[in-house]
């Protein structure tokens, strides 16, 4: 794991998620989904499907616990216009289309159990995941397809920038 996600869980690039302080329950579900080949993240599946196939349930639990206990990366503010638009979408949703994201991911994007921490993540990584959800290239979270399905690229970019900044 440290080769890609770094020893401290801070990730090595915007292509790879930061795992530090991610919720253990969420990490366990994602690792099991990679192992069972039900998480079809196109940019990670070839490597993660193979790597995770070697993981036992105890190893998955330990990895998740270790990463959940690490210090998270701090968020960095992005472009002011994106931040303002993203804040509105994150806190208020999009009328008739998208629920308030803070309801599931927390007021500071800290996440809750099975809802991932978004704070401190690379905004490019969050945007990529929203695009994967929208296109159904990543289909292991149907609720996220419903969230992203009606969003424009600009709205996804804005909310990713805002959430990552926390």
């Amino acid at each position: 794991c440290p080769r890609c996600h770094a020893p401290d869980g801070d990730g090595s690039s915007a292509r790879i998620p930061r795992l530090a302080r991610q919720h253990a329950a969420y990490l366990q579900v994602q690792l099991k989904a990679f192992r069972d080949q039900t998480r079809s993240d196109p940019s990670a599946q070839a490597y993660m499907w193979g790597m995770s196939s070697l993981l036992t349930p105890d190893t998955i639990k330990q990895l998740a616990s270790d990463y959940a206990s690490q210090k998270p990366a701090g968020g960095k503010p992005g472009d002011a216009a994106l931040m303002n638009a993203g804040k509105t979408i994150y806190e208020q949703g999009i009328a008739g289309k998208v629920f308030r994201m803070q309801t599931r991911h927390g007021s500071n994007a800290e996440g809750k159990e099975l809802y991932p921490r978004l704070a401190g993540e690379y905004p490019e990584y969050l945007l990529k995941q929203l695009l994967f959800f929208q296109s159904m290239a990543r289909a292991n979270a149907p609720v996220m397809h419903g969230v992203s399905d009606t969003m424009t690229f600009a709205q996804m970019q804005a909310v990713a920038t805002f959430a990552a900044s926390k």
Side-chain angles (χ1 to χ4, degrees):
C1 301
R3 181 175 181 195
C4 295
H5 296 283
D8 61 0
D10 196 25
S12 58
S13 79
R15 296 180 305 111
I16 299 165
R18 291 177 161 155
L19 302 181
R21 201 49 145 217
Q22 189 55 269
H23 298 279
Y26 176 78
L27 290 173
Q28 286 181 50
V29 166
Q30 298 309 307
L31 283 169
K32 288 175 185 173
F34 277 124
R35 185 187 63 199
D36 301 340
Q37 299 184 0
T38 56
R39 178 167 170 179
S40 55
D41 181 332
S43 63
Q45 77 184 36
Y47 185 78
M48 289 299 297
W49 282 7
M51 188 286 306
S52 62
S53 70
L54 306 172
L55 300 177
T56 66
D58 286 340
T59 304
I60 287 174
K61 187 175 181 178
Q62 186 61 52
L63 284 169
S65 177
D66 288 350
Y67 279 113
S69 69
Q70 293 177 351
K71 182 180 177 189
K76 294 181 175 77
D79 174 82
L82 284 175
M83 292 287 291
N84 287 334
K87 182 179 193 296
T88 300
I89 295 167
Y90 189 85
E91 293 178 352
Q92 299 173 20
I94 301 172
K97 295 181 179 181
V98 176
F99 61 84
R100 297 173 342 137
M101 294 173 187
Q102 72 179 12
T103 302
R104 290 190 170 93
H105 293 282
S107 59
N108 289 305
E110 71 277 11
K112 300 175 186 176
E113 298 173 13
L114 295 176
Y115 297 103
R117 175 185 186 81
L118 306 176
E121 186 55 81
Y122 294 106
E124 300 88 352
Y125 178 79
L126 295 179
L127 175 60
K128 178 177 69 170
Q129 295 306 306
L130 286 168
L131 290 167
F132 286 160
F133 285 127
Q134 185 179 54
S135 70
M136 292 297 288
R138 181 173 170 195
N140 69 317
V143 71
M144 286 306 301
H145 174 69
V147 169
S148 60
D149 189 44
T150 60
M151 293 178 78
T152 66
F153 180 85
Q155 290 169 329
M156 287 187 271
Q157 185 179 32
V159 79
T161 299
F162 176 75
S165 75
K166 301 307 252 169

